[in-house]
Amino acid sequence: MSTETRTTVVWDYAPAPESVDHIRLKDRYGLFVDGDFRDPSDGRYVPTINPATEEPIAEVAYGGPDDVAAAVESARAALPKWAALKDLERAKYLFRIARLIQERSRELAVVETLDGGKPLRESRDVDIPLAAAHFFHYAGWADKLRYGVNAREVRPLGVVGQIVPWNFPLLMAAWKLAPALACGNVAILKPAETTPLTALLLAEICQEAELPPGVVTILPGNGGTGAALVRQKKINKIAFTGSTAVGRDIQAALAGTDTRLTLELGGKSANIVFEDAALDQAVEGIVNGIFFNQGHVCCAGSRLLIQESVHDEVIAKLWQRMGRLRVGDPMDKNTDVGAINSAEQLERIETLVAAGEDEGAHRRTIACDLPERGYWFAPTMFTDVSPAHRIAIEEIFGPVVSVLTFRTQAEAIEKANNSRYGLAAGIWTDKGSKAFEVASALKAGVVWQNTYNHFDPTAAFGGYKESGFGREGGPAGLRPYLQIVR
Ligand code: NDP
């Protein structure tokens, strides 16, 4: 086993914990159906856990098959009025939701961090503002739908089922709900089992915005709830973000039906550093690419491709930078890397990291004092990785970067595309022409140049190959929620 552990971490910041006094959480949340919270038909409530402390936060209802069927009926009943509403009126509701998210942003950020384990700095500065921005953006599109689809005549699809993962709970809900509603659809959202709370606060926001009952349904539950939703006959479209395995299951379940489908699945995205790049800037981008949100990011730059001539220099700088990452209490405003979302996810990361060591890659993990309770994994880098290693192929979905090298531009492209995924990529170079050449040769839905993990509601996001199909964001994000009439 070739493991190297850094021992010189200096903790030079006093704790700066965010207050929780201002949040208004109930002890128990039901299913949000027909504009109100209700008990699940089988009375099942399960606690949602803070992954940084393993303490329960609140009890949340689990939607069973009968609840899913009732939700679809309620949504179907709400559809005609909502679809017939003047475009500008629909826009006003979206605008109100966006404003209410902004008003409650501090509370939403704290709850997102408590429920999911991500650093408060990220939920406060990225997740919540971007969620509001998506509602604002699609509020603007609601009365301009034709211009988003080449001036064709369009109509809504109907009832859409939306299943989101745990890595960006509120943001993924906004990515899904905002375009669906702007296009005149009604939506049933299934949040992830481990992070239902901000979606339930969003249900309260829909009430505050006086959104007509049934236009948005929030159905917390487990995988079974999602599977039941997918198999409902009266659903016109499913939009899913999550693992490739579940995406495959959904695609198989919908084969031969007229239910539309978009899938946003996993990734093993290449972050490519050329020798002419500004290396210090690239190192910041590498850190942001893989350690942002503990690496629980579908487009994480988890395969780092470095040009051989600058490999040693980049690794030295990266390792030094990694040593300054602060890992620990996500509620501390200084924390860079928070808790792993669940015990299951921690186990998956540990299994793949052990495989990396067994297969002979060289592991370096930063040393840091991790809290005794909760789920933690210290930032880790693997060098001497071969393209055949599991850690170069499989999505780890944790704070672990696998480093490979290349000599020429052609080799960089070949290696970057040598993946069953194709979600995102990063290119670090000083030459604009090289960036454009490489970007157009990469089979990746999003390519960032001299930056990484940069999200914007106006930009389309989505994948190739096993990363899924369909686009979210910007005008391209309208198309999957509309039928072209003429
Ligand atoms: P899943 O794909 O299982 O979960 C995503 C969502 O789908 C959740 O809401 C989940 O519900 C729901 N779901 C689970 N099973 C079904 C089903 N049969 N039919 C319909 N919906 C279902 O991801 P995991 O949470 O299990 O994570 C596993 C791995 O997936 C991670 O290690 C990571 O590699 C990858 N992943 C990728 C993501 C991405 O954005 N690309 C996001 C999340 C995970 P519930 O949570 O209640 O089980």
Side-chain angles (χ1 to χ4, degrees):
M1 188 174 84
S2 52
T3 302
E4 198 178 295
T5 301
R6 189 175 174 84
T7 53
T8 55
V9 176
V10 180
W11 294 91
D12 52 357
Y13 283 79
E18 171 67 329
S19 141
V20 291
D21 299 346
H22 57 91
I23 66 168
R24 299 172 268 167
L25 274 180
K26 296 181 203 145
D27 295 336
R28 223 174 206 220
Y29 285 89
L31 310 168
F32 183 69
V33 183
D34 231 0
D36 226 333
F37 289 94
R38 61 163 72 158
D39 288 328
S41 52
D42 64 359
R44 189 169 171 213
Y45 280 86
V46 175
T48 179
I49 303 293
N50 178 344
T53 61
E54 298 175 59
E55 302 286 342
I57 312 169
E59 288 200 325
V60 176
Y62 266 31
D66 292 345
D67 302 306
V68 176
V72 176
E73 289 308 322
S74 143
R76 204 138 271 293
L79 177 65
K81 262 195 173 167
W82 180 252
L85 199 65
K86 275 196 181 146
D87 295 344
L88 260 181
E89 295 304 313
R90 278 206 311 277
K92 283 186 202 166
Y93 284 109
L94 291 178
F95 191 81
R96 266 187 228 165
I97 293 173
R99 290 288 291 122
L100 286 163
I101 291 175
Q102 286 186 321
E103 268 175 36
R104 292 178 66 171
S105 59
R106 223 180 127 206
E107 176 194 1
L108 288 165
V110 168
V111 174
E112 200 71 301
T113 286
L114 289 175
D115 206 18
K118 65 173 64 195
L120 182 85
R121 208 158 40 87
E122 292 177 5
S123 42
R124 182 195 63 195
D125 298 347
V126 181
D127 294 60
I128 312 302
L130 269 178
H134 272 80
F135 278 103
F136 278 127
H137 180 74
Y138 283 106
W141 273 113
D143 64 338
K144 305 173 195 68
L145 298 177
R146 298 190 62 197
Y147 302 101
V149 287
N150 296 334
R152 308 283 296 272
E153 200 178 309
V154 288
R155 67 163 174 249
L157 295 176
V159 179
V160 302
Q162 306 183 312
I163 301 170
V164 294
W166 41 261
N167 51 347
F168 293 93
L170 185 70
L171 182 57
M172 287 300 108
W175 275 33
K176 298 255 176 303
L177 289 172
L181 301 187
C183 292
N185 302 283
V186 297
I188 302 173
L189 180 91
K190 203 314 254 157
E193 188 176 6
T194 57
T195 54
L197 289 179
T198 46
L200 291 160
L201 295 187
L202 186 61
E204 289 179 358
I205 286 175
C206 291
Q207 285 180 322
E208 281 178 67
E210 296 178 5
L211 194 71
V215 172
V216 167
T217 303
I218 309 280
L219 269 190
N222 57 10
T225 314
L229 184 60
V230 166
R231 285 157 182 83
Q232 285 294 313
K233 297 270 177 300
K234 292 181 184 165
I235 290 224
N236 303 99
K237 180 204 159 74
I238 293 289
F240 171 79
T241 298
S243 62
T244 298
V246 173
R248 262 196 212 110
D249 178 70
I250 294 176
Q251 199 170 14
L254 295 184
T257 72
D258 61 357
T259 309
R260 303 236 190 136
L261 177 64
T262 44
L263 297 175
E264 201 267 270
L265 309 175
K268 191 77 190 173
S269 300
N271 202 1
I272 309 168
V273 181
F274 287 99
E275 60 191 359
D276 56 29
L279 295 186
D280 290 320
Q281 189 190 340
V283 166
E284 288 307 312
I286 295 164
V287 166
N288 180 39
I290 187 63
F291 301 122
F292 172 62
N293 199 23
Q294 297 74 246
H296 300 331
V297 183
C298 48
C299 52
S302 51
R303 270 189 309 147
L304 177 60
L305 302 185
I306 307 178
Q307 195 150 21
E308 226 170 71
S309 49
V310 290
H311 171 268
D312 293 354
E313 191 181 348
V314 172
I315 293 300
K317 283 175 186 284
L318 176 59
W319 182 234
Q320 198 180 35
R321 177 68 181 86
M322 283 171 64
R324 291 201 300 272
L325 289 171
R326 290 178 293 275
V327 188
D329 182 6
M331 291 291 282
D332 190 315
K333 286 171 245 172
N334 291 323
T335 294
D336 296 307
V337 179
I340 298 303
N341 183 264
S342 63
E344 294 74 35
Q345 188 57 29
L346 180 58
E347 201 184 310
R348 276 188 211 119
I349 297 169
E350 286 171 343
T351 304
L352 276 164
V353 165
E357 289 186 278
D358 289 347
E359 289 181 327
H362 178 65
R363 171 181 173 180
R364 298 178 215 200
T365 295
I366 70 164
C368 43
D369 292 331
L370 298 175
E372 272 176 22
R373 300 201 65 192
Y375 316 121
W376 308 95
F377 199 88
T380 293
M381 162 166 68
F382 274 106
T383 47
D384 301 326
V385 178
S386 115
H389 287 163
R390 281 184 72 191
I391 53 166
I393 297 170
E394 295 179 35
E395 185 177 47
I396 301 176
F397 225 61
V400 181
V401 63
S402 304
V403 184
L404 296 120
T405 58
F406 66 89
R407 287 187 187 164
T408 64
Q409 181 174 315
E411 190 188 347
I413 294 167
E414 178 84 27
K415 281 192 165 153
N417 285 339
N418 180 20
S419 168
R420 59 184 184 231
Y421 296 113
L423 195 51
I427 303 171
W428 297 86
T429 172
D430 222 15
K431 309 260 179 310
S433 54
K434 185 192 278 182
F436 282 121
E437 231 175 82
V438 176
S440 51
L442 290 177
K443 272 274 170 257
V446 177
V447 181
W448 286 291
Q449 181 197 348
N450 294 338
T451 185
Y452 207 94
N453 274 341
H454 210 109
F455 304 104
D456 191 292
T458 62
F461 188 93
Y464 283 93
K465 302 190 266 184
E466 290 191 21
S467 293
F469 49 81
R471 293 292 178 265
E472 295 182 298
L478 297 169
R479 187 64 192 85
Y481 288 102
L482 290 169
Q483 290 180 56
I484 306 270
V485 181
R486 257 183 298 151

